[in-house]
Amino acid sequence: MGGLEVRVSAIVLDLEWTLLNSNKKISCRNYEAIENILSKGIPVIFATARPPRMVKLLLPSSLYDRSFKIFYNGALIIDHRNVMMAHHTMDVSAYHEFLDYMENLDYSPCVSIEATDQLFCNCEVNNSFGVPVNPHIVSLEKMRKLL
């Protein structure tokens, strides 16, 4: 019986509600499967909206250090040697326009900005998808200087 041979060039895994269980952990079965894939020389890519510091908390270093990572929904891509492959930041004028808009609202919105793998907020934020975030609390005016 002739079969179709499939060559896998990479495996891409989302973290939220896919790889991680409800306790934000990788099951033993999934961990062993990923280790097996890596041992065969097949690249593993973890994709997430999360920043690097949070992914380091969620993934065992044995996987984190040997995989490609896509952070911020593709805005930052790091290879398996921890070398930046791509980094797409927000246009500075659009960023300032956004902050202008937020400052002119009739209420005080909670604004969060990620910069240099740190979270800056103008309000208290306790967690993100069950993981502590510990933001730097700053004014919107100080946020202007981050980009």
Side-chain angles (χ1 to χ4, degrees):
M1 176 180 202
L4 178 65
E5 183 177 319
V6 177
R7 183 177 176 273
V8 177
S9 28
I11 301 289
V12 181
L13 300 165
D14 179 44
L15 296 183
E16 299 306 324
W17 301 290
T18 304
L19 180 64
L20 301 176
N21 63 25
S22 59
N23 295 321
K24 305 294 177 218
K25 303 287 183 201
I26 299 175
S27 71
C28 290
R29 182 178 178 193
N30 284 343
Y31 178 85
E32 289 170 8
I34 295 167
E35 282 289 347
N36 185 34
I37 291 164
L38 287 167
S39 72
K40 292 179 179 180
I42 299 170
V44 173
I45 304 163
F46 294 106
T48 183
R50 291 180 180 271
R53 70 183 177 283
M54 293 183 103
V55 176
K56 284 180 186 177
L57 294 173
L58 296 169
L59 290 179
S61 59
S62 60
L63 298 182
Y64 185 94
D65 295 339
R66 294 164 45 216
S67 63
F68 289 76
K69 280 82 59 184
I70 300 174
F71 303 107
Y72 306 120
N73 287 326
L76 176 62
I77 302 172
I78 306 290
D79 75 6
H80 63 290
R81 296 162 303 181
N82 212 30
V83 174
M84 185 184 326
M85 297 177 68
H87 188 207
H88 307 283
T89 59
M90 187 176 204
D91 176 74
V92 174
S93 62
Y95 173 68
H96 287 187
E97 186 178 328
F98 166 75
L99 291 176
D100 288 342
Y101 175 80
M102 295 308 233
E103 286 177 330
N104 291 316
L105 293 172
D106 292 336
Y107 59 95
S108 298
C110 183
V111 178
S112 300
I113 302 292
E114 281 280 343
T116 62
D117 197 22
Q118 298 176 72
L119 178 62
F120 297 89
C121 296
N122 68 334
C123 60
E124 290 290 330
V125 178
N126 295 325
N127 67 57
S128 173
F129 296 105
V131 178
V133 292
N134 304 317
H136 300 280
I137 306 299
V138 298
S139 67
L140 291 179
E141 191 54 42
K142 286 189 179 180
M143 282 187 189
R144 287 185 181 285
K145 298 173 183 167
L146 295 174
L147 286 187

